Amino acid sequence: MVALENMGFVANMVSLVLYFWLKLHFELSDAANTLTNLMGSAFLLSVIGGFISDTYINRFHTCLIFGTVEILALVLMTIQAHDEKLQPVPRGKSSGMTGRPAVMFYASLCLLALGSGGVRGALPALGADQFDKKDPKEAKGLASYFNWLLLGSVSGALIGVTVIVYISTNKNNNNWWKGFLITLVSTVVGFIILAIGKPFYRIQVPGESPLVRIAQVIVVAIKNRKLPPPESPSELYEINEKESASTDDKIAHTEQFRSLDKAAILPKDAEPLPWKVCTVTQVEEVKVLTRMLPIIASTIIMNTCLAQLQTFSVQQGNAMNRYLGSFEVPAASIPFIPLLFMIILIPVYELTFVPFARKITKHPTGISQLQRIGVGLVLSAISMAVAAIVEVKRKQKSLKNPLKDPSKDISLFWLSFQYGIFGIADMFTLVGLLEFFYKEAPSGMRSLSTSFTWISLSFGYFLSTIFVDTINAVTKKITPSKQGWLQGYLDENNLNLFYWFLAILSVLNFFNYLYWATWYKYKPEDTNVSTMAKSVSISGVPFLNTAAEHTEETDRQNAEHTEETDRKD
């Protein structure tokens, strides 16, 4: 399903900037900002899908409901691209989009953002639910699942950026409706396949609202702020296994954010009621989410860099020599290079690197999730530096070619360096984030937590829009030409300086991430309720360590759980 749905979604991500620019007559910077705003909204709305599937509707039905919304959006986009009466007249700027065309255009974009975002909020967790973390064999399968999920995604994306993009941009950009139609059909087929699989799925029943649980901890902690802390964490309130109707895992007490522990203090002669006291597990759930926030924030800059590869880099490709022999390669198809890299590297990583690294580090996934994310951040900075160098070379060659003879421009395939490096970065970071947020999240918040990955993407796209507008506004005042770095045609602006700006910012962001990854403490799990409120020692440097201590703790807990189960049987 991911492969079929991503065929169209990724094709749109890399080519809609050309559709807005050439077909709907947007300004260049407006086309880029419209696309980044669309992508940002789609990923931000994944929170809605995650919240609904954790609280009201199970993840399977959430996917189908939001999938229907996404299909409706694609129907509207196909109709508008086919009917010229529903397209704006050429006015050279986005304000030309008025009346019925504007209503249909923005309605389709809103529905596309809501539908695709909602699906992404629930789908990764639905797949991960099929693995039992307490079963050692299935626990290993969970780590592999996120790699294969990415492989399915990039396989569909490869078809999208080659076949669909070629069809859409063929015949002087008059075939966009055909591209949208193929996207519509593939998405419908994908959701039909997902629906057919229902008898085989493990469907998790929605639980209490995660937002309510978070609010209870904050409110009760504020109410109890003047109470003295207990002498021992074991005195904090927790429901034992017999009293609890929930099958969710209990979380042992940790020492960070001690002020929140006051929510688990039960005053004398008080009844343990909601909004009066919270369990240790409930408090630790809030602590886990709080610890995640700096990790989310540290990946936003990388996703801002990703936005440039889907906007300005596509426009670069459009101004380069796009011929491969007699075949003209669509500029928006250049991402096929990193996608091809990833299709080859993901199985190699999963089948070769992970078993090798596992022998050295003793970590179930070879290296920890935080280490994977860190590798991706470093590579994204390198990608932006390479992009700046390539743009300088492209611009120099283009300025020496006033007649704009395509054969005298540099080849489109020079962009493969920046795309290829970033593709590998994305392979490390995206999978690392999805696995990290799913594993670390409380069981009742896993859809919401995995949507944090998409929130990072969302903020990255919105930050790109802010950077473009701000840099244009500032540089317009200080440059002799009175033109912003990113205004006008590529040969007249300073896109290379914008790439250098992002490269330097990415390096600084990596050191910021390194600090927070070192500070982060992995979530402890304790299935022995009698020792639930005891403090658990966690490694303070999960990013730098091999996480062997974390694995030993997990093995010990699994062994205790097995003994307890055998005794009960």
Side-chain angles (χ1 to χ4, degrees), residues 119 126 142 189 213 218 298 303 314 337 377 399 420 476 524 533:
V119 171
L126 173 63
L142 176 62
V189 173
R213 291 176 65 83
I218 295 172
S298 300
N303 292 313
V314 174
I337 295 173
L377 294 181
L399 291 174
K476 186 188 297 183

Side-chain angles (χ1 to χ4, degrees), residues 301-314 316 334-335 337-338 341-342 374-392 414-427 429 495-507 510:
I301 294 296
M302 175 181 173
N303 292 313
T304 300
C305 298
L306 173 63
Q308 312 320 312
L309 298 184
Q310 295 163 2
T311 53
F312 288 114
S313 292
V314 174
Q316 278 180 283
I334 192 64
I337 295 173
F341 269 121
M342 293 170 75
V375 171
L377 294 181
V378 172
L379 291 175
S380 70
I382 296 173
S383 173
M384 287 297 99
V386 170
I389 294 170
V390 170
E391 171 58 14
V392 170
W414 276 90
L415 295 179
S416 63
F417 294 106
Q418 65 208 55
Y419 275 107
I421 295 170
F422 200 95
I424 299 171
D426 204 31
M427 180 186 77
T429 303
L495 179 60
N496 58 304
L497 297 180
F498 182 53
Y499 282 144
W500 279 120
F501 167 75
L502 290 176
I504 294 169
L505 203 60
S506 297
V507 171
F510 170 71

Side-chain angles (χ1 to χ4, degrees), residues 66-247:
F66 282 98
T68 303
V69 175
E70 183 178 4
I71 290 168
L72 177 60
L74 292 171
V75 169
L76 293 177
M77 292 177 71
T78 304
I79 293 171
Q80 185 168 33
H82 183 263
D83 190 347
E84 293 187 358
K85 294 179 181 178
L86 297 173
Q87 298 168 14
V89 295
R91 294 186 187 179
K93 52 185 179 180
S94 58
S95 58
M97 181 71 75
T98 56
R100 279 205 310 165
V103 172
M104 191 167 190
F105 175 73
Y106 290 111
S108 64
L109 293 191
C110 290
L111 290 173
L112 181 64
L114 178 63
S116 61
V119 171
R120 276 161 181 76
L123 188 64
L126 173 63
D129 286 344
Q130 311 314 308
F131 300 88
D132 183 359
K133 290 200 301 179
K134 295 178 182 179
D135 184 321
K137 291 183 179 179
E138 292 196 19
K140 284 186 178 181
L142 176 62
S144 299
Y145 157 73
F146 287 105
N147 286 327
W148 298 127
L149 182 73
L150 180 61
L151 181 63
S153 176
V154 297
S155 298
L158 181 64
I159 298 173
V161 302
T162 51
V163 177
I164 296 179
V165 167
Y166 175 74
I167 292 172
S168 298
T169 57
N170 200 17
K171 294 186 179 179
N172 198 25
N173 287 284
N174 286 321
N175 274 345
W176 284 99
W177 71 272
K178 292 182 180 178
F180 292 146
L181 181 62
I182 296 171
T183 298
L184 171 62
V185 172
S186 65
T187 303
V188 170
V189 173
F191 281 107
I192 289 174
I193 292 174
L194 179 71
I196 290 173
K198 183 182 179 181
F200 307 100
Y201 299 145
R202 292 171 175 170
I203 305 294
Q204 298 288 337
V205 178
E208 186 181 357
S209 169
L211 297 184
V212 171
R213 291 176 65 83
I214 293 169
Q216 286 175 341
V217 171
I218 295 172
V219 170
V220 177
I222 293 173
K223 285 182 179 179
N224 294 349
R225 64 187 182 279
K226 294 183 180 180
L227 294 178
E231 295 181 0
S232 169
S234 60
E235 298 176 27
L236 296 172
Y237 178 70
E238 181 61 277
I239 301 176
N240 63 41
E241 191 175 43
K242 293 181 180 179
E243 294 173 340
S244 176
S246 172
T247 58

Side-chain angles (χ1 to χ4, degrees), residues 303 409 428:
N303 292 313
D409 289 326
F428 277 92

Side-chain angles (χ1 to χ4, degrees), residues 230-282:
E231 295 181 0
S232 169
S234 60
E235 298 176 27
L236 296 172
Y237 178 70
E238 181 61 277
I239 301 176
N240 63 41
E241 191 175 43
K242 293 181 180 179
E243 294 173 340
S244 176
S246 172
T247 58
D248 294 343
D249 294 333
K250 297 293 186 288
I251 308 176
H253 177 264
T254 58
E255 295 297 323
Q256 287 181 320
F257 308 115
R258 294 290 301 275
S259 60
L260 292 175
D261 288 344
K262 293 194 174 184
I265 298 176
L266 182 62
K268 292 182 179 179
D269 302 325
E271 292 186 23
L273 299 173
W275 302 100
K276 296 291 184 182
V277 67
C278 300
T279 64
V280 170
T281 294
Q282 193 174 344

